[in-house]
Amino acid sequence: MMQSIRFKVLLTAIESFIKNALNVQVKDELNSDYGGFRCPDHLVCEPWSAINTFATIAIIFLNPKSRYYHSSELLKSMKMALQFIKRSINDDGSMNVYFWGEIRTKSTLPFVLNTLMKSYRLLAKHNIDDGLINDLGTLIKRCIEVVKSCPIENSTQGLTIASALIDFDKLFFDRSASDKAISYLFDRVDINHDGMYGGKSLSISMLSNAMLLNIAKKLNRPYMIDYVRRNLNFVLHNFRQDGGFALDYMINAGMDYTKPLEYSVWKEMSIIDHNGYYATAGDMLVSSFINSMENGYINYRPNMPHVNNSFRDHSRFFLTSNIGEFLLVEDELNNEGVSRLSLPSNYVKTFIDSNIARFKNGKMNAILMTESENLFSLENGQAVISHFRIKYKYYGYHIFMPKKLEIAGGSYILRDWFYHNKDSENIVGISQANLIIQVEFVYKHDHFEVLVSATGEKGIAFLLEFGIKKIGTLSIDNKEHILGNADLIPMDGKEATIKVGSDIIKICGGIVQHKIYCDKSLWVRDIRNVNIVMTPITPFSNRFNIFWK
């Protein structure tokens, strides 16, 4: 029953996107973008969007429950879109992307090739228009020849190429493609014991999972599924109650363009392992996606705290264009027989190999991490500290980025040290460092106690910076600030209260001993957030607390 209801909701959402796509498609044959879909946000026709939209149109065109089933308008749209796609992929396999301005790149070809073959498989299976199928097949063959000679930039790209070559063999009976695919596979995948892939990106992780599942099934390599299982168990601890993801480096590291792939991975693995947690995760993910739809597009609203600000700079059309694949997953996979299990809502989880600690208490999510300038983030509902970072001025400007998370009793410790003369042959350890920095977090039932200390050379200026999402209000020193209008606020032993509706975070303590941060040429601020700063000078031991209500 749940699957049939979700199918209807998805169908409605996809049809609303199709209506938008038809409205923005360039139909003037004299226009160089003829057949493309002009993004209403960026006013460009992006090839990757067109490839995704072509697949979504094909899926809806072939679905008998859709009002667009076998629509002549959609068939014409697919033919126009394919002409644009063919013109957009150059002979060397490069294509233009517009995520951060116009960039010509080959790196996207393996990813879009998987989508093109998915479209070909559907259209060929239903024998829809020989001319369209032949044109698409010719394009795929041209792209495959380019992909065979592509240098491997990272393990995910290697897996994606291997998966594409295997699928090409299945579609076009080219054994040499599968043989080539095997040469891209290695005995080990770039994933640590915790289940974190080397790319440290949720999107890249799920791409890797999807490719590994495909390869495991088609080459009969079941051991590859264990990598997927390990990563999913890692990601499970990053879910929010509404199906989004808690703030951390995994969200900030990449664009959120793989939702249908993520859904297919959760759903298929729930069937393979009969795992109720995976099934629940998939349900939450697709519900979150549907809830973010507005007027036929994904709409990342300002009151969605878990969304990386940079996503709002990306095209809504692009991020919605592969929505049709959700329906394909619903058609091909049924996990109604898997009993759902509620995801854990109260835990402390430490990932030793990844140097990450995650904390969850109801709607409070927090993460502590190393090897990142963002050491800590916390969200309590919609009230959000998106980052806590430490900067200091000592023979230049530096950011505190410790390499290891140490755990002692109930304390989580980050430390690093700085040598003025790094080339000295006489330096043998921390005892000879010019500057020693230590941060200690202690987790309580309703707050974190934080102690930041720096010893060694005297008179070094530090900046302890909290990035607060520009949502709600901030009260400090009997003054209330509208966060949407604020910029930088120093606090000196006072209490800062962040409030969004009934969601509250309080920061208590801290000292202000200098105002170097006022010089914008010296300190680089994150203008997407309100910055609350503490500014001690060495030597210091600065204690403060972070409460949530």
Side-chain angles (χ1 to χ4, degrees), residues 238 240 242-248 251-252 256 259 288 292 300-309 311-312 365 379 381-382 384 469 471:
N238 207 31
R240 302 169 74 249
D242 64 358
F245 287 89
L247 286 165
D248 73 2
I251 292 296
N252 295 331
D256 198 16
K259 288 301 181 189
S288 176
S292 70
Y300 288 129
R301 305 173 187 85
N303 65 348
M304 297 173 70
H306 58 286
V307 175
N308 181 359
N309 281 289
F311 285 172
R312 300 185 186 110
N365 294 281
E379 58 182 58
Q382 294 194 73
V384 177
K469 285 288 184 181
I471 310 167

Side-chain angles (χ1 to χ4, degrees), residues 24-228:
V24 300
Q25 189 168 27
V26 179
K27 300 177 178 67
D28 180 1
E29 295 186 26
L30 299 179
N31 193 305
S32 60
D33 288 327
Y34 171 69
F37 301 89
R38 196 170 302 285
C39 165
D41 297 322
H42 298 167
L43 303 179
V44 296
C45 293
E46 207 276 311
W48 197 345
S49 293
I51 291 166
N52 288 342
T53 304
F54 180 90
T56 292
I57 291 174
I59 291 165
I60 285 293
F61 177 83
L62 294 169
N63 194 298
K65 295 180 181 178
S66 171
R67 63 189 175 95
Y68 287 109
Y69 179 59
H70 282 192
S71 160
S72 59
E73 184 182 17
L74 286 201
L75 182 59
K76 182 179 179 181
S77 175
M78 281 192 285
K79 290 180 178 180
M80 289 191 295
L82 185 57
Q83 295 307 308
F84 172 76
I85 294 166
K86 286 166 60 179
R87 294 196 308 273
S88 299
I89 300 178
N90 303 304
D91 291 339
D92 64 354
S94 63
M95 54 192 288
N96 292 334
V97 295
Y98 297 90
F99 307 141
W100 298 279
E102 184 174 337
I103 303 172
R104 183 167 171 168
T105 177
K106 291 183 183 180
S107 62
T108 55
L109 187 62
F111 304 105
V112 302
L113 191 50
N114 278 281
T115 304
L116 289 171
M117 285 194 288
K118 204 171 292 182
S119 301
Y120 181 89
R121 175 171 60 84
L122 286 170
L123 294 170
K125 179 181 177 181
H126 292 84
N127 197 26
I128 301 297
D129 197 282
D130 289 343
L132 179 67
I133 295 170
N134 291 336
D135 277 356
L136 181 56
T138 300
L139 174 63
I140 290 170
K141 291 174 183 177
R142 175 160 67 91
C143 292
I144 278 289
E145 291 307 312
V146 174
V147 163
K148 285 180 180 178
S149 60
C150 275
I152 303 299
E153 297 178 4
N154 53 64
S155 61
T156 301
Q157 187 185 42
L159 290 172
T160 306
I161 292 174
S163 178
L165 289 168
I166 292 166
D167 283 343
F168 182 80
D169 178 19
K170 300 297 181 184
L171 288 173
F172 297 97
F173 308 104
D174 182 352
R175 179 65 186 176
S176 66
S178 286
D179 293 339
K180 181 69 175 177
I182 293 171
S183 70
Y184 286 99
L185 302 178
F186 305 99
D187 292 334
R188 296 188 62 187
V189 173
D190 186 15
I191 186 172
N192 67 17
H193 180 74
D194 295 329
M196 183 172 72
Y197 286 104
K200 295 185 179 181
S201 158
L202 180 64
S203 296
I204 296 301
S205 295
M206 286 300 177
L207 273 171
S208 297
N209 288 336
M211 299 305 113
L212 283 167
L213 271 176
N214 188 46
I215 294 167
K217 289 184 296 182
K218 292 178 179 173
L219 292 186
N220 192 26
R221 297 192 178 191
Y223 70 89
M224 287 185 165
I225 296 176
D226 189 53
Y227 297 122
V228 180

Side-chain angles (χ1 to χ4, degrees), residues 3 6-7 9-11 13-14 55-56 59 63 118 256-264 266-267 282-290 292-293 298 319-333:
Q3 180 139 333
R6 189 165 52 225
F7 185 94
V9 174
L10 278 169
L11 184 61
I14 295 167
T56 292
I59 291 165
N63 194 298
K118 204 171 292 182
D256 198 16
Y257 58 83
T258 59
K259 288 301 181 189
L261 269 182
E262 292 173 40
Y263 181 48
S264 69
W266 288 114
K267 196 168 187 182
D283 294 344
M284 292 171 68
L285 187 146
V286 73
S287 295
S288 176
F289 187 93
I290 291 170
S292 70
M293 290 287 292
I298 285 179
L319 293 175
T320 316
S321 60
N322 59 1
I323 186 175
E325 294 190 33
F326 276 114
L327 210 60
L328 201 59
V329 175
E330 290 297 280
D331 269 340
E332 296 179 348
L333 299 171

Side-chain angles (χ1 to χ4, degrees), residues 525-537:
R525 298 180 194 166
D526 180 0
I527 61 174
R528 298 171 300 179
N529 295 292
V530 175
N531 297 305
I532 299 177
V533 296
M534 305 171 186
T535 58
I537 296 175

Side-chain angles (χ1 to χ4, degrees), residues 474-481 489-491 494-497:
L474 170 67
S475 299
I476 185 169
D477 196 20
N478 296 319
K479 295 179 182 178
E480 184 174 278
H481 305 267
I489 303 170
M491 63 180 295
K494 303 180 181 71
E495 180 180 287
T497 302

